[in-house]
Structure formats: structure tokens, C-alpha cells
Amino acid sequence: SNSPDTYILFPSNKNPIDLIWAKKTGQQAPKSPGSKVTFQFHHALARLSFDITAPKLENGTVIKVQRVRLYGASYYEGVFVMQGYLNLNTGAWILADNGVKWHYTWTPEGKKADIPDNDNDEKDSIVYKLNASQLDYKTPPITNDKDSYIFIIPQTKNKPFYLAITYTVQQGNFEETVTVKKNLLEVLDPGVSNPSFEFKEGKAYVFHLILSLDPVNFSITPKVEDWK
């Protein structure tokens, strides 16, 4: 074809990793052996992460996080389309749904071995790692571990998808385990009747999960920033 565009097919379920693409700045080929062609590197995907805090804990109260879950309209339903064509000239994507969508779990133990094999097309979930499990009045926030981000092919979400956390509150002899959740579509596009949200390439999406001793007060605040 005469199109100036070149596409690569990228199935993120086979490669749950960051994808970088490079564009030549100016199309002149180098004239002399010493001259260089400059490339601009870009993140082709969006990145999702979170942190967990419990700002009002008193000394002697402990929260232990069992798991964080990210899932679609139902608990075992996947979230994101995982395949698309990347235009290597513009960085634009064309989604090409391969029928695979994962749901995600983060636990303090993680499952380092649970990385998909290229011959395992039936996989529909993955277990990642939290960097810690316990919050008290002086601990730093709990986050996803450094190799437990989600990388998302840019796409628009119109259907509910949920971030849930299961945790245990311990105060003296009192102990209670609760699970709370929020529809991230309503967190990202609040106050409208038909929420919609576009995950964009090169953006980092951080969800701040704010726990409370009263589960009713659970909240999630999103932050969108350029992914450096």
C-alpha cells in the first residue's frame, strides 16, 4: 500500500509490559557517518496504579489489607480490551479485541510466578503484589509493588468497572473484616448519568484509596498525570 503508516499488532495479554515507540524527528537520512538521527520516545500505553492510606487511625489501631481487586461489571469479569494495532508513525491505536480481558488481584504475597506464558491463551486473571500489608498511625501508604502496575492499551470505558479492597480492622480485642468497592467509571467521570472515560497513552492513572474505620466512608480519589 502507499500509506505512510506502519502498524504493529500488540496483544498485551501475551506481553503485560510497558511499550515504548519512537518517532524520527525530521525524515532526513544522515549525510555523514558522524551525524545522528534523533528519536523521540513515547509511552504507547497508559499505566494504572494505586495507593492505600487510612489517615485517621489512632495509636493502637491496625488495618491489615488482604487484597485489592480490579474487575469488570461482575467479580470475575475482565476489564480492558487487551489487543490493538499501534500506528508507528502517529502513536494512535486501533483496538482489535482478541476476546481476552483480565481481572486483577493484588495481595501482600503476590504470585511472582503467575506471569502468563505465551501458549496460555485461556488465562483471564493475574495476581500481583502489594508492597506491604499493614497500616497504622505512622506507616507510609501501601502501594502496588514496583513490578505490579497494569499497562493499558488506550481505550474508552463506558461500562462499570470496580476497584475493591478487603481489609481487617484491629482495635484491642475488636476485629472486623470488610470489603468495600467503588465503580471507577463514577470516580473518573462523576455526577453524570452516562459516565465515560478515556484512558490515554502516556498518562499515569493513580487511584488513592482512603480507608476509614467506618466502611461507609471509604473513598477513592483519582489522579491523572503525565507518565514520566
Side-chain angles (χ1 to χ4, degrees), residues 161-182:
F161 63 111
Y162 295 90
L163 196 57
I165 180 168
T166 301
Y167 62 97
T168 301
V169 178
Q170 294 175 329
Q171 277 178 306
N173 295 326
F174 171 81
E175 186 171 301
E176 180 186 25
T177 299
V178 296
T179 298
V180 288
K181 68 177 183 181
K182 292 283 184 195

Side-chain angles (χ1 to χ4, degrees), residues 51-149:
D51 57 39
I52 306 162
T53 56
K56 295 183 178 163
L57 290 187
E58 294 168 2
N59 192 354
T61 303
V62 171
I63 284 179
K64 292 187 172 172
V65 176
Q66 269 87 39
R67 80 186 66 86
V68 174
R69 291 268 296 138
L70 178 70
Y71 56 90
S74 61
Y75 194 76
Y76 294 108
E77 205 172 304
V79 184
F80 297 109
V81 173
M82 299 191 79
Q83 183 173 267
Y85 290 95
L86 172 63
N87 182 323
L88 294 178
N89 190 44
T90 66
W93 283 89
I94 300 170
L95 288 180
D97 192 345
N98 58 359
V100 180
K101 291 182 180 177
W102 287 355
H103 51 93
Y104 303 86
T105 307
W106 290 262
T107 67
E109 305 75 35
K111 256 197 186 172
K112 293 296 190 201
D114 193 19
I115 296 298
D117 299 315
N118 278 354
D119 57 358
N120 180 4
D121 288 329
E122 301 307 306
K123 182 179 198 69
D124 66 354
S125 67
I126 193 165
V127 178
Y128 283 133
K129 194 172 190 305
L130 298 170
N131 75 336
S133 64
Q134 187 166 305
L135 290 171
D136 60 35
Y137 76 103
K138 61 178 194 289
T139 49
I142 296 173
T143 66
N144 55 288
D145 210 32
K146 60 185 182 302
D147 58 356
S148 293
Y149 290 93

Side-chain angles (χ1 to χ4, degrees), residues 167 176 178-182 210-220:
Y167 62 97
E176 180 186 25
V178 296
T179 298
V180 288
K181 68 177 183 181
K182 292 283 184 195
I210 302 158
L211 304 185
S212 163
L213 294 185
D214 184 345
V216 172
N217 295 327
F218 170 62
S219 66
I220 298 181

